[in-house]
Amino acid sequence: MSENGPLGAAEKVLSSAHRHGHGLREVNEKLADLVSSLRDQKERLARYSPAGAPPASGGPAEAPPGTGAPARPLGAELALAREAMELARREHEEIRERLAEIQEANRRLCEEYAALQDQNSDLVNLYVAVQRLYGAADRADVLAAIQEIVANLVGSEELAVFELSGDGNRLVPAHAFGVEPPDPREIAVGSGTVGRVAAEGVAFVADEADAAARPDPPHLTACIPLELGGRVRGALAIYGLLGHKSSLGSLDRELLALLQKHAARALRASALGERTEAGLGEGAWSG
Amino acid sequence: MNDQPESLNGFAAGAPGGSKPGAAGARRKILIVDDSETVLLVERAFLSRSYDVVTARNGQEGVDKAVAERPDLILMDVVMPRLNGFDAVSRLRSHPATKRIPVIMVTTRGELDNVESGYRSGCNDYLTKPFHGPELLAKVKGCLGE
């Protein structure tokens, strides 16, 4: 076959076509590889899309029925559930701590409220005691007030009020309640517990006294000096307490301190009032 | 008691608004029967913020005032002139107008036989003197169902 004849030309065309065909086949194959690679890439991208995460194990979780949402992998569901549980546990712990704080605050408030109620109660008793002493119309009324305060607020129905005699050497009974005769008797100042209280001006309370210093008389629970103008003018002796009362408390001591400072003044005020009204002579509570 | 300073009324009452109003929104009424001015002052001080308070100075006056005033509760002393607290409660229990009024005995007589006598006479509760304000209020509220 001649290279320049029509056959030669055809062979050239065929050869050229063959070369082009081969090139096209190669291009086609490369395109097929590219398309395959793109499909793989697309699938990987689909798996890593925001709607899901790569599965740790197993396949993807089923999408909620009817939502049409992409399936969520089980591992992601588990991680989310764990995170939610941890959050709930922390919130629960915080609530428990807050509740404990509130309970503690509530307990403190209850204690403070109870203490305030007790304090209020004590103040009422002290207020009423003062009102009774200074609201009394006369000497007998003041003595009755002292008796009522001791009986109803302190808790003793055995008591005696003594006045200092004019010469200052004796304690003379002015009023008694629940004390069997011949008591109360006149007492020399300095003699026995009541006499010593009058001499020294220091209150005696059996609960506070030295165990070796037994009261005289032995059933004396407390004895206070009745003071006026810095001087002892008498004494109040309290013997047995009511059966259901075992000892003197803090309020009782406050009431005794109040009587120590104010009973003599109230008696003097009543004496002055009576003297003014009746023109009687001075007694132990005047001057 | 009527000349008591206003400042003392309710001075020591418990929690504000502690009284549950009775019929027609009226405050409940408490009758205090005691011959001691000191006790009347103390009890009134604790109660008057939450309750209307009326007083009587002996058992007979207490019975008469209970019939006339129809209180919601009575605080009754035991040792009193004219009529003691036990007998007064017995009379209250036999009177149709007062037989259902709760009564708290408030007394220095804390011995068991006295407590028993109190309950036999018909009292609902018993409180010994001296008492704490909160203790009195608790008994009162308990008897009034508050």
Side-chain angles (χ1 to χ4, degrees), chain B:
Chain B
M1 286 302 299
N2 292 335
D3 58 352
Q4 181 187 339
E6 188 65 27
S7 60
L8 186 59
N9 289 339
F11 177 61
S19 176
K20 192 162 55 182
R27 293 194 346 148
R28 291 186 167 185
K29 188 187 291 182
I30 297 178
L31 170 61
I32 306 172
V33 188
D34 203 303
D35 63 332
S36 163
E37 178 75 8
T38 305
V39 174
L40 292 176
L41 282 168
V42 169
E43 292 183 0
R44 180 189 280 272
F46 285 123
L47 298 170
S48 60
R49 181 170 176 185
S50 299
Y51 307 98
D52 288 335
V53 174
V54 289
T55 59
R57 302 298 296 263
N58 61 64
Q60 184 57 57
E61 187 186 351
V63 172
D64 295 341
K65 281 209 173 176
V67 172
E69 298 277 351
R70 308 290 177 90
D72 297 287
L73 175 70
I74 298 170
L75 302 179
M76 182 74 74
D77 186 20
V78 171
V79 181
M80 289 182 292
R82 292 189 66 188
L83 190 67
N84 70 45
F86 298 143
D87 293 338
V89 175
S90 295
R91 289 197 191 179
L92 290 171
R93 291 292 173 254
S94 63
H95 195 291
T98 58
K99 65 181 179 183
R100 296 192 191 283
I101 299 174
V103 177
I104 301 175
M105 286 285 188
V106 185
T107 175
T108 55
R109 307 292 172 198
E111 300 84 2
L112 185 61
D113 55 342
N114 278 301
V115 177
E116 287 175 349
S117 297
Y119 282 112
R120 271 200 304 273
S121 71
C123 81
N124 300 75
D125 209 340
Y126 206 95
L127 179 63
T128 51
K129 301 176 198 169
F131 54 79
H132 250 60
E135 191 184 5
L136 172 70
L137 285 168
K139 295 258 184 193
V140 166
K141 288 176 187 298
C143 272
L144 290 173
E146 296 176 348

Side-chain angles (χ1 to χ4, degrees), chain A residues 121 124 131-132 148 152 157 244, chain B residues 5 12 15 36 38 108 129-130 133:
Chain A
S121 176
V124 165
Q131 188 175 0
R132 284 291 288 125
E148 282 189 14
N152 295 300
E157 291 185 329
H244 54 273
Chain B
S36 163
T38 305
T108 55
K129 301 176 198 169

Side-chain angles (χ1 to χ4, degrees), chain A residues 171-184:
Chain A
L171 287 169
V172 181
H175 178 75
F177 180 68
V179 180
E180 294 293 325
D183 291 318

